[in-house]
Amino acid sequence: MAELPLPSLARLRVQAVAHGHRAVIVLEGSPPWCRTQAAALITAWGEAPILWVGAHGIEPHPCIPWRKATTWLGRELGLLAIDAFDGVDANGLAALSGTLRAGGLWLLLVPSLAKWGDYPDPQHQRLASWPHPADAVSGRFLQRLGAVIQQQPGIVLWREGHPFPAIEAAPAPPPP
């Protein structure tokens, strides 16, 4: 396990709270590495309530499948972890993004972003219409999402085998 950069994580949290933003950390790598780093980040962030979306949650935090995403509408979360290895539901992603409060952390666990569009997403089975199999569903949404993640300067992208990216000091927030 790579060492957690607690000063950088603390700086990210201070910036998110000060600016009223949601911090986003994308963990790109193998499922075991991403899940191990996510568990460490959840502990270090220390914000509750926490929700994990996917089949491999972290005790004692709630863990839900995508089909239950809309049942969380109207709630407020301090940390949202989405395990994309268990699939990505675009509608559920949109619904859950609204549950994260300002200053909260959004963790997204993903395979290689460059190849994400070709990933055999388990959600494709739900999207496939008869007589087409799940592998006939296009991965364009995931391909585009991966490209957007890599282009956004506010997203922290931590890749397996690389150190945690440095968090630069942000400009002071505008007065209220």
Side-chain angles (χ1 to χ4, degrees):
M1 178 170 107
E3 187 175 324
L4 264 184
L6 295 179
S8 288
L9 198 58
R11 187 176 302 121
L12 181 64
R13 185 174 191 162
V14 166
Q15 289 176 9
V17 170
H19 292 271
H21 294 168
R22 285 98 183 130
V24 179
I25 299 177
V26 176
L27 301 169
E28 178 188 17
S30 66
W33 181 85
C34 290
R35 291 175 182 140
T36 299
Q37 300 312 320
L41 287 166
I42 287 169
T43 300
W45 195 262
E47 185 68 26
I50 295 168
L51 177 64
W52 184 281
V53 181
H56 302 86
I58 297 172
E59 292 293 331
H61 309 296
C63 177
I64 64 165
W66 280 111
R67 71 180 185 286
K68 297 202 177 218
T70 56
T71 65
W72 283 75
L73 288 171
R75 300 185 202 190
E76 192 172 76
L77 298 170
L79 193 145
L80 173 63
I82 295 179
D83 189 340
F85 294 101
D86 294 326
V88 174
D89 178 311
N91 293 330
L93 191 68
L96 289 171
S97 69
T99 65
L100 193 59
R101 71 170 154 248
L105 174 63
W106 186 350
L107 292 176
L108 181 59
L109 291 65
V110 300
S112 167
L113 291 174
K115 299 176 184 176
W116 198 9
D118 298 326
Y119 182 77
D121 189 304
Q123 286 295 309
H124 288 172
Q125 183 63 44
R126 184 184 60 79
L127 297 172
S129 9
W130 187 87
H132 305 288
D135 60 359
V137 175
S138 165
R140 286 187 299 232
F141 172 74
L142 296 177
Q143 183 178 7
R144 173 73 178 134
L145 183 57
V148 168
I149 286 170
Q150 295 178 82
Q151 296 167 359
Q152 294 303 312
I155 292 177
V156 176
L157 177 56
W158 190 8
R159 291 185 159 114
E160 184 173 4
H162 297 273
F164 190 86
I167 306 296
E168 303 297 326

